[in-house]
Amino acid sequence: YGCAYATLNCPRNADCTIVCSGTQDCEKATINCPENGNCEIICSGYDGCWAGTINCPQNGNCSVTCSGKYACSNRGNDLFAINWSPPPNTNELICADDGGCSRPSGALSVPPTDAPTTNPTAPTASPTAAPTEPTQEPTQEPTMVNDAGSESGLDKEDEVRRLKTLLYVLAAVAMIAIAVVLCGLYFYCAKKLKPNGSRSGSVGLLNEYNTQVADDNQL
């Protein structure tokens, strides 16, 4: 309860850091950051800054950390409030996971963006009831569309098909050539073996003639 219900004033033209680490250390306290300088407020105690008010610098960045349980929360009709620094200064709110910035009676919002868009996207009037799930195995060669609007991917597929056809033709020609070579070798070998067969036949005829002559002499 060290600074509960108190008004804490930072130096006007210097950076300032205030730590409320005890239980209800800065409850319902008003913290005035410097007018010209950065300001850091750390509410790390249980209910450390509950129902308090933090006035951020007019010319400086502002950071509020609510790490204690229910550190930056409302309490009944007593509201915790932060008056953030105006642009172009930056504001930061860090909240703990165990309800550092919330309470059943209300919740603390993060600081608004310093540069909101002037043309927000309008929601679609008829969203699809069954959105398409992203593919788990996207193609490694997506189709590219050129400036003229034609799909170069189709031309690439045609080129692949032509290349496959050419390979099939070359394979067929190679098989025919191999068959011709094998036939030529077969006939060549057969021709080479024919004289040997004729020679064997002549020897057989000569033996048969000699046998016939021997039989005639015996007669």
Side-chain angles (χ1 to χ4, degrees), residues 130-207:
T132 303
E133 294 293 335
T135 177
Q136 300 297 323
E137 297 180 356
T139 177
Q140 297 181 357
E141 297 182 357
T143 301
M144 302 298 294
V145 180
N146 55 28
D147 295 337
S150 62
E151 296 184 351
S152 60
L154 296 178
D155 296 337
K156 189 173 183 179
E157 292 179 1
D158 293 339
E159 183 179 354
V160 171
R161 284 196 292 268
R162 289 194 295 268
L163 181 60
K164 288 182 178 180
T165 302
L166 178 61
L167 292 176
Y168 292 150
V169 172
L170 292 176
V173 171
M175 292 178 66
I176 294 173
I178 292 173
V180 171
V181 171
L182 292 176
C183 290
L185 290 174
Y186 172 78
F187 287 111
Y188 176 79
C189 293
K191 185 176 180 181
K192 284 293 185 179
L193 293 174
K194 186 175 181 181
N196 294 332
S198 299
R199 191 177 301 113
S200 300
S202 300
V203 173
L205 292 175
L206 180 59
N207 292 333

Side-chain angles (χ1 to χ4, degrees), residues 82-108:
I82 302 176
N83 298 312
W84 296 105
S85 300
N89 302 301
T90 60
N91 298 293
E92 181 182 33
L93 176 63
I94 302 173
C95 298
D97 295 335
D98 57 354
C101 300
S102 65
R103 197 69 168 186
S105 58
L108 177 66

Side-chain angles (χ1 to χ4, degrees), residues 8-78:
L8 307 178
N9 295 314
C10 290
R12 183 176 180 181
N13 299 307
D15 294 342
C16 180
T17 299
I18 295 178
V19 179
C20 302
S21 58
T23 299
Q24 298 179 338
D25 213 1
C26 300
E27 80 170 85
K28 299 190 72 172
T30 299
I31 301 175
N32 295 315
C33 291
E35 292 184 13
N36 304 295
N38 299 322
C39 187
E40 182 181 15
I41 309 300
I42 301 174
C43 303
S44 57
Y46 183 91
D47 280 348
C49 299
W50 73 266
T53 300
I54 299 174
N55 296 312
C56 291
Q58 290 298 309
N59 298 298
N61 303 323
C62 190
S63 174
V64 178
T65 300
C66 304
S67 56
K69 191 169 185 178
Y70 306 132
C72 302
S73 59
N74 304 328
R75 182 67 58 82
N77 293 327
D78 298 323

